[in-house]
Amino acid sequence: MLSKKTILIFSTTLLLTACSAPKTYFTAAIRADLAANHQPLDKIQFYNDRDIVLRRDVKTGEAKVTDGKVVLEKGHNVNIIRLKKNTPGVCVLQRNNIVGIAFEQNNNNFITFGKTKQARPNDPYRILANEWVNEYGVINYDGKQYHIEPAGTEASIMIKSKVLRKLNIKEHEMKGRKVESGNSNSSDNSNSSTQ
C-alpha cells in the first residue's frame, strides 16, 4: 500500500509535468485536488484521448435512428456512433469514482468514465462498460445498448493543463519537534493536571 507521502509526491510530480503539456489525464488525484479547491467538475472542459466507436444492431421494425448513421453490414442494419479524438465534453454525472461525460447536447446521452478496480490514484479515468463480451464493452446510450469497438475500450478523459495551474495548492512539510533538555516544568505541569 502506498503511503500518503508517496501519493503526495506522485500527485505533485504529475501536476508539475501536466502544467507543461496542453492537456493532462483526469485522475482520482487530480479530482481530489479540484474538489479541495472547490472547482466544480461541470465547469471543466473534458476531452477523450482517442477515437471511440459505438455500434449496435438495428431491429428490422425499428422506425428511426436518432444518433449516428445506419449502414447495411452482412445483411444486418447497424447503427454506428463515432466520437473522434479530442471531442469536447461536459460532466453531467458525478459519483464517487465515476463521471458521466456528455459529448452531445442531450445530458441523458453520456459516456461513463471512472477509476477501474486495480487503478492507482494517478491512473487515468477510463471508459467503463456495464459488461464485457469478448473484447467489446457493452454500454447504454440514448436508451439503447451499444458495443464499444475494441480500439476504444482503453479510452480515457483529459482536461486542459491550465486548469491545474489555477489551483491554489499549498504544500508544507512538518520538520518535527524534539524534547527540550533541562526543561522539566512542562512535564511536571502535565502530570499535575492529570492527577
Side-chain angles (χ1 to χ4, degrees):
M1 183 173 203
L2 295 175
S3 69
K4 289 182 181 180
K5 185 175 182 180
T6 305
I7 292 171
L8 180 62
I9 290 169
F10 282 145
S11 180
T12 305
T13 303
L14 181 66
L15 184 63
L16 293 174
T17 55
C19 291
S20 61
K23 291 188 187 99
T24 188
Y25 283 100
F26 186 74
T27 67
I30 287 176
R31 184 175 181 178
D33 287 342
L34 293 169
N37 283 273
H38 309 290
Q39 293 284 330
L41 295 182
D42 60 351
K43 301 297 181 195
I44 293 174
Q45 189 69 67
F46 288 87
Y47 302 88
N48 54 309
D49 75 336
R50 67 189 70 196
D51 291 348
I52 301 170
V53 177
L54 306 178
R55 61 189 301 132
R56 72 179 186 91
D57 286 337
V58 179
K59 294 177 183 172
T60 308
E62 197 168 334
K64 65 176 184 173
V65 174
T66 56
D67 293 313
K69 62 181 181 179
V70 176
V71 296
L72 187 63
E73 186 177 275
K74 294 182 185 175
H76 295 90
N77 288 328
V78 178
N79 183 15
I80 298 174
I81 301 174
R82 296 185 189 281
L83 179 62
K84 293 189 176 188
K85 179 180 176 177
N86 287 323
T87 300
V90 176
C91 181
V92 295
L93 172 79
Q94 300 176 43
R95 292 194 187 136
N96 277 347
N97 294 313
I98 295 173
V99 292
I101 307 298
F103 297 95
E104 298 185 285
Q105 292 303 315
N106 185 345
N107 284 351
N108 294 320
N109 293 347
F110 58 84
I111 297 177
T112 306
F113 294 84
K115 187 177 169 187
T116 58
K117 289 180 183 177
Q118 304 299 324
R120 296 180 301 261
N122 291 313
D123 287 344
Y125 270 33
R126 295 205 182 279
I127 194 167
L128 300 177
N130 300 336
E131 63 177 310
W132 294 93
V133 178
N134 298 324
E135 297 178 349
Y136 295 85
V138 179
I139 66 169
N140 290 323
Y141 190 84
D142 194 25
K144 301 170 185 74
Q145 278 197 341
Y146 283 85
H147 289 87
I148 308 165
E149 288 196 349
T153 58
E154 295 291 320
S156 297
I157 48 173
M158 305 181 84
I159 61 173
K160 289 187 177 177
S161 298
K162 69 179 181 180
V163 171
L164 302 177
R165 280 182 241 142
K166 294 178 183 178
L167 296 182
N168 183 18
I169 298 174
K170 294 180 182 176
E171 188 174 336
H172 173 80
E173 183 178 330
M174 293 185 205
K175 302 293 183 194
R177 182 176 172 181
K178 294 184 178 180
V179 175
E180 295 178 21
S181 61
N183 188 359
S184 60
N185 289 339
S186 60
S187 62
D188 290 341
N189 291 338
S190 63
N191 286 339
S192 62
S193 63
T194 59
Q195 292 178 352

